Each structure stands twice: as C-alpha cells, then as structure tokens.
mmCIF file of all heavy atoms in Angstrom:
data_model
loop_
_atom_site.group_PDB
_atom_site.id
_atom_site.type_symbol
_atom_site.label_atom_id
_atom_site.label_comp_id
_atom_site.label_asym_id
_atom_site.label_seq_id
_atom_site.Cartn_x
_atom_site.Cartn_y
_atom_site.Cartn_z
ATOM 1 N N ASP L 183 -20.872 33.338 21.111
ATOM 2 C CA ASP L 183 -20.340 32.197 21.870
ATOM 3 C C ASP L 183 -21.323 31.769 22.907
ATOM 4 O O ASP L 183 -22.280 32.540 23.343
ATOM 5 C CB ASP L 183 -19.026 32.523 22.510
ATOM 6 C CG ASP L 183 -17.897 32.710 21.460
ATOM 7 O OD1 ASP L 183 -17.941 31.963 20.443
ATOM 8 O OD2 ASP L 183 -17.034 33.529 21.726
ATOM 9 N N PRO L 184 -21.250 30.543 23.477
ATOM 10 C CA PRO L 184 -22.155 30.113 24.541
ATOM 11 C C PRO L 184 -22.094 31.048 25.745
ATOM 12 O O PRO L 184 -21.030 31.649 25.945
ATOM 13 C CB PRO L 184 -21.732 28.690 24.848
ATOM 14 C CG PRO L 184 -21.015 28.219 23.583
ATOM 15 C CD PRO L 184 -20.318 29.523 23.023
ATOM 16 N N PRO L 185 -23.143 31.189 26.566
ATOM 17 C CA PRO L 185 -23.168 31.989 27.726
ATOM 18 C C PRO L 185 -22.078 31.537 28.700
ATOM 19 O O PRO L 185 -21.755 30.349 28.807
ATOM 20 C CB PRO L 185 -24.528 31.852 28.299
ATOM 21 C CG PRO L 185 -25.422 31.366 27.159
ATOM 22 C CD PRO L 185 -24.481 30.514 26.305
ATOM 23 N N THR L 186 -21.533 32.470 29.430
ATOM 24 C CA THR L 186 -20.627 32.171 30.474
ATOM 25 C C THR L 186 -21.147 32.097 31.852
ATOM 26 O O THR L 186 -20.524 31.785 32.773
ATOM 27 C CB THR L 186 -19.468 33.231 30.412
ATOM 28 O OG1 THR L 186 -20.024 34.525 30.697
ATOM 29 C CG2 THR L 186 -18.711 33.280 29.058
ATOM 30 N N ILE L 187 -22.492 32.312 31.988
ATOM 31 C CA ILE L 187 -23.167 32.270 33.267
ATOM 32 C C ILE L 187 -24.159 31.150 33.338
ATOM 33 O O ILE L 187 -24.740 30.805 32.307
ATOM 34 C CB ILE L 187 -23.844 33.590 33.686
ATOM 35 C CG1 ILE L 187 -24.888 33.979 32.549
ATOM 36 C CG2 ILE L 187 -22.865 34.737 33.799
ATOM 37 C CD1 ILE L 187 -25.671 35.193 32.828
ATOM 38 N N ASN L 188 -24.429 30.515 34.516
ATOM 39 C CA ASN L 188 -25.353 29.485 34.704
ATOM 40 C C ASN L 188 -26.580 30.042 35.516
ATOM 41 O O ASN L 188 -26.368 30.605 36.559
ATOM 42 C CB ASN L 188 -24.696 28.301 35.412
ATOM 43 C CG ASN L 188 -23.600 27.611 34.583
ATOM 44 O OD1 ASN L 188 -23.778 27.500 33.378
ATOM 45 N ND2 ASN L 188 -22.559 27.254 35.238
ATOM 46 N N MET L 189 -27.709 29.781 34.995
ATOM 47 C CA MET L 189 -28.958 30.268 35.595
ATOM 48 C C MET L 189 -29.675 29.035 36.101
ATOM 49 O O MET L 189 -29.971 28.228 35.322
ATOM 50 C CB MET L 189 -29.798 31.141 34.809
ATOM 51 C CG MET L 189 -29.100 32.503 34.337
ATOM 52 S SD MET L 189 -30.266 33.561 33.458
ATOM 53 C CE MET L 189 -30.449 32.587 32.005
ATOM 54 N N THR L 190 -30.078 29.047 37.412
ATOM 55 C CA THR L 190 -30.875 27.958 37.988
ATOM 56 C C THR L 190 -31.978 28.572 38.824
ATOM 57 O O THR L 190 -31.776 29.491 39.644
ATOM 58 C CB THR L 190 -29.967 27.071 38.905
ATOM 59 O OG1 THR L 190 -28.917 26.539 38.172
ATOM 60 C CG2 THR L 190 -30.800 25.872 39.411
ATOM 61 N N THR L 191 -33.172 28.031 38.606
ATOM 62 C CA THR L 191 -34.310 28.548 39.312
ATOM 63 C C THR L 191 -34.705 27.584 40.406
ATOM 64 O O THR L 191 -34.363 26.370 40.345
ATOM 65 C CB THR L 191 -35.543 28.773 38.421
ATOM 66 O OG1 THR L 191 -35.903 27.543 37.774
ATOM 67 C CG2 THR L 191 -35.108 29.748 37.199
ATOM 68 N N GLU L 192 -35.534 27.970 41.337
ATOM 69 C CA GLU L 192 -36.014 27.195 42.425
ATOM 70 C C GLU L 192 -36.892 26.024 41.898
ATOM 71 O O GLU L 192 -36.843 24.883 42.356
ATOM 72 C CB GLU L 192 -36.809 28.036 43.356
ATOM 73 C CG GLU L 192 -37.305 27.217 44.611
ATOM 74 C CD GLU L 192 -36.192 26.651 45.412
ATOM 75 O OE1 GLU L 192 -35.109 27.193 45.462
ATOM 76 O OE2 GLU L 192 -36.480 25.643 46.187
ATOM 77 N N ARG L 193 -37.596 26.282 40.804
ATOM 78 C CA ARG L 193 -38.458 25.248 40.197
ATOM 79 C C ARG L 193 -37.557 24.130 39.636
ATOM 80 O O ARG L 193 -37.920 22.985 39.716
ATOM 81 C CB ARG L 193 -39.337 25.826 39.091
ATOM 82 C CG ARG L 193 -40.420 26.799 39.620
ATOM 83 C CD ARG L 193 -41.244 27.357 38.501
ATOM 84 N NE ARG L 193 -42.113 28.382 38.950
ATOM 85 C CZ ARG L 193 -43.295 28.130 39.461
ATOM 86 N NH1 ARG L 193 -43.811 26.927 39.578
ATOM 87 N NH2 ARG L 193 -44.070 29.135 39.819
ATOM 88 N N GLU L 194 -36.501 24.513 38.987
ATOM 89 C CA GLU L 194 -35.575 23.507 38.482
ATOM 90 C C GLU L 194 -34.920 22.671 39.629
ATOM 91 O O GLU L 194 -34.717 21.416 39.504
ATOM 92 C CB GLU L 194 -34.443 24.221 37.690
ATOM 93 C CG GLU L 194 -34.980 24.719 36.397
ATOM 94 C CD GLU L 194 -33.909 25.491 35.606
ATOM 95 O OE1 GLU L 194 -32.817 25.701 36.218
ATOM 96 O OE2 GLU L 194 -34.183 25.847 34.459
ATOM 97 N N LYS L 195 -34.605 23.401 40.657
ATOM 98 C CA LYS L 195 -34.005 22.654 41.870
ATOM 99 C C LYS L 195 -34.988 21.573 42.420
ATOM 100 O O LYS L 195 -34.668 20.516 42.671
ATOM 101 C CB LYS L 195 -33.588 23.643 42.973
ATOM 102 C CG LYS L 195 -32.584 24.640 42.612
ATOM 103 C CD LYS L 195 -32.392 25.607 43.756
ATOM 104 C CE LYS L 195 -31.346 26.671 43.326
ATOM 105 N NZ LYS L 195 -31.194 27.692 44.375
ATOM 106 N N GLN L 196 -36.260 22.067 42.479
ATOM 107 C CA GLN L 196 -37.306 21.184 43.007
ATOM 108 C C GLN L 196 -37.550 20.051 42.079
ATOM 109 O O GLN L 196 -37.663 18.834 42.483
ATOM 110 C CB GLN L 196 -38.636 21.934 43.124
ATOM 111 C CG GLN L 196 -38.658 23.063 44.179
ATOM 112 C CD GLN L 196 -38.538 22.506 45.656
ATOM 113 O OE1 GLN L 196 -39.053 21.384 45.805
ATOM 114 N NE2 GLN L 196 -37.972 23.240 46.552
ATOM 115 N N ALA L 197 -37.501 20.298 40.730
ATOM 116 C CA ALA L 197 -37.671 19.220 39.759
ATOM 117 C C ALA L 197 -36.562 18.177 39.858
ATOM 118 O O ALA L 197 -36.747 16.981 39.736
ATOM 119 C CB ALA L 197 -37.774 19.893 38.348
ATOM 120 N N GLN L 198 -35.346 18.698 40.064
ATOM 121 C CA GLN L 198 -34.188 17.789 40.175
ATOM 122 C C GLN L 198 -34.251 16.908 41.426
ATOM 123 O O GLN L 198 -33.861 15.731 41.411
ATOM 124 C CB GLN L 198 -32.887 18.618 40.160
ATOM 125 C CG GLN L 198 -32.597 19.303 38.897
ATOM 126 C CD GLN L 198 -31.364 20.205 39.000
ATOM 127 O OE1 GLN L 198 -30.777 20.389 40.009
ATOM 128 N NE2 GLN L 198 -30.984 20.900 37.825
ATOM 129 N N GLN L 199 -34.792 17.542 42.445
ATOM 130 C CA GLN L 199 -34.944 16.756 43.711
ATOM 131 C C GLN L 199 -36.076 15.709 43.619
ATOM 132 O O GLN L 199 -36.017 14.685 44.291
ATOM 133 C CB GLN L 199 -35.231 17.662 44.867
ATOM 134 C CG GLN L 199 -34.063 18.608 45.245
ATOM 135 C CD GLN L 199 -34.417 19.617 46.313
ATOM 136 O OE1 GLN L 199 -35.510 19.616 46.829
ATOM 137 N NE2 GLN L 199 -33.475 20.461 46.663
ATOM 138 N N MET L 200 -37.073 16.005 42.751
ATOM 139 C CA MET L 200 -38.224 15.064 42.574
ATOM 140 C C MET L 200 -37.889 13.910 41.688
ATOM 141 O O MET L 200 -38.620 12.867 41.671
ATOM 142 C CB MET L 200 -39.484 15.875 42.177
ATOM 143 C CG MET L 200 -39.965 16.856 43.193
ATOM 144 S SD MET L 200 -41.286 17.836 42.500
ATOM 145 C CE MET L 200 -42.545 16.677 42.197
ATOM 146 N N VAL L 201 -36.877 14.032 40.851
ATOM 147 C CA VAL L 201 -36.597 12.933 39.921
ATOM 148 C C VAL L 201 -35.940 11.755 40.584
ATOM 149 O O VAL L 201 -34.895 11.995 41.173
ATOM 150 C CB VAL L 201 -35.696 13.475 38.780
ATOM 151 C CG1 VAL L 201 -35.241 12.325 37.810
ATOM 152 C CG2 VAL L 201 -36.360 14.561 37.985
ATOM 153 N N PRO L 202 -36.497 10.591 40.633
ATOM 154 C CA PRO L 202 -35.896 9.451 41.330
ATOM 155 C C PRO L 202 -34.671 8.999 40.626
ATOM 156 O O PRO L 202 -34.588 9.012 39.335
ATOM 157 C CB PRO L 202 -36.983 8.432 41.380
ATOM 158 C CG PRO L 202 -37.813 8.726 40.125
ATOM 159 C CD PRO L 202 -37.772 10.224 39.927
ATOM 160 N N GLU L 203 -33.760 8.456 41.321
ATOM 161 C CA GLU L 203 -32.565 7.809 40.749
ATOM 162 C C GLU L 203 -32.918 6.396 40.252
ATOM 163 O O GLU L 203 -33.357 5.533 41.094
ATOM 164 C CB GLU L 203 -31.416 7.789 41.720
ATOM 165 C CG GLU L 203 -30.085 7.327 41.125
ATOM 166 C CD GLU L 203 -28.974 7.387 42.152
ATOM 167 O OE1 GLU L 203 -29.169 7.867 43.249
ATOM 168 O OE2 GLU L 203 -27.880 6.872 41.860
ATOM 169 N N ILE L 204 -32.694 6.058 38.985
ATOM 170 C CA ILE L 204 -32.992 4.792 38.428
ATOM 171 C C ILE L 204 -31.762 4.020 38.168
ATOM 172 O O ILE L 204 -30.858 4.596 37.443
ATOM 173 C CB ILE L 204 -33.846 5.033 37.152
ATOM 174 C CG1 ILE L 204 -35.116 5.760 37.455
ATOM 175 C CG2 ILE L 204 -34.196 3.697 36.551
ATOM 176 C CD1 ILE L 204 -35.960 6.153 36.255
ATOM 177 N N SER L 205 -31.749 2.790 38.537
ATOM 178 C CA SER L 205 -30.520 1.928 38.281
ATOM 179 C C SER L 205 -30.508 1.621 36.771
ATOM 180 O O SER L 205 -31.516 1.152 36.232
ATOM 181 C CB SER L 205 -30.555 0.640 39.054
ATOM 182 O OG SER L 205 -30.579 0.982 40.443
ATOM 183 N N LYS L 206 -29.418 1.788 36.116
ATOM 184 C CA LYS L 206 -29.359 1.612 34.660
ATOM 185 C C LYS L 206 -28.832 0.250 34.327
ATOM 186 O O LYS L 206 -29.106 -0.261 33.234
ATOM 187 C CB LYS L 206 -28.413 2.669 34.047
ATOM 188 C CG LYS L 206 -29.010 4.082 34.237
ATOM 189 C CD LYS L 206 -28.080 5.153 33.600
ATOM 190 C CE LYS L 206 -28.699 6.504 33.681
ATOM 191 N NZ LYS L 206 -27.830 7.594 33.082
ATOM 192 N N THR L 207 -28.030 -0.419 35.103
ATOM 193 C CA THR L 207 -27.529 -1.764 34.834
ATOM 194 C C THR L 207 -27.753 -2.684 36.015
ATOM 195 O O THR L 207 -28.056 -2.268 37.154
ATOM 196 C CB THR L 207 -26.034 -1.669 34.514
ATOM 197 O OG1 THR L 207 -25.267 -1.342 35.681
ATOM 198 C CG2 THR L 207 -25.702 -0.726 33.466
ATOM 199 N N ILE L 208 -27.544 -3.941 35.804
ATOM 200 C CA ILE L 208 -27.789 -4.903 36.878
ATOM 201 C C ILE L 208 -26.749 -4.828 38.010
ATOM 202 O O ILE L 208 -26.954 -5.217 39.169
ATOM 203 C CB ILE L 208 -27.695 -6.379 36.281
ATOM 204 C CG1 ILE L 208 -28.270 -7.454 37.342
ATOM 205 C CG2 ILE L 208 -26.229 -6.734 35.787
ATOM 206 C CD1 ILE L 208 -28.451 -8.766 36.705
ATOM 207 N N ASN L 209 -25.621 -4.228 37.645
ATOM 208 C CA ASN L 209 -24.507 -3.995 38.704
ATOM 209 C C ASN L 209 -24.977 -2.877 39.605
ATOM 210 O O ASN L 209 -24.419 -2.848 40.689
ATOM 211 C CB ASN L 209 -23.275 -3.583 37.950
ATOM 212 C CG ASN L 209 -22.725 -4.726 37.090
ATOM 213 O OD1 ASN L 209 -22.893 -5.951 37.408
ATOM 214 N ND2 ASN L 209 -22.081 -4.409 35.977
ATOM 215 N N ASP L 210 -25.917 -2.037 39.141
ATOM 216 C CA ASP L 210 -26.359 -0.974 40.114
ATOM 217 C C ASP L 210 -27.447 -1.424 41.120
ATOM 218 O O ASP L 210 -27.843 -0.680 41.936
ATOM 219 C CB ASP L 210 -26.927 0.196 39.277
ATOM 220 C CG ASP L 210 -25.825 0.799 38.448
ATOM 221 O OD1 ASP L 210 -24.635 0.827 38.883
ATOM 222 O OD2 ASP L 210 -26.103 1.244 37.280
ATOM 223 N N ILE L 211 -27.973 -2.682 40.935
ATOM 224 C CA ILE L 211 -29.080 -3.156 41.747
ATOM 225 C C ILE L 211 -28.486 -3.792 43.025
ATOM 226 O O ILE L 211 -27.571 -4.690 43.019
ATOM 227 C CB ILE L 211 -29.917 -4.193 40.983
ATOM 228 C CG1 ILE L 211 -30.472 -3.453 39.775
ATOM 229 C CG2 ILE L 211 -31.024 -4.684 41.875
ATOM 230 C CD1 ILE L 211 -31.188 -4.448 38.852
#
C-alpha cells in the first residue's frame, strides 16, 4: 500500500518557496 508517512526535506521547502505563483486565468489578474 502507499506509504503512511510524509517526508519533506529542506531543499524541497526551499524549492517550493522559490517557485513564483503564476496567474492561470484572467480573473486572477
């Protein structure tokens, strides 16, 4: 079965913080 624990590293946290939020529709602008 799929794992029951979630593993997150500091590199993943940094990568998530570095990804800019992009508007997907005109309503988001």
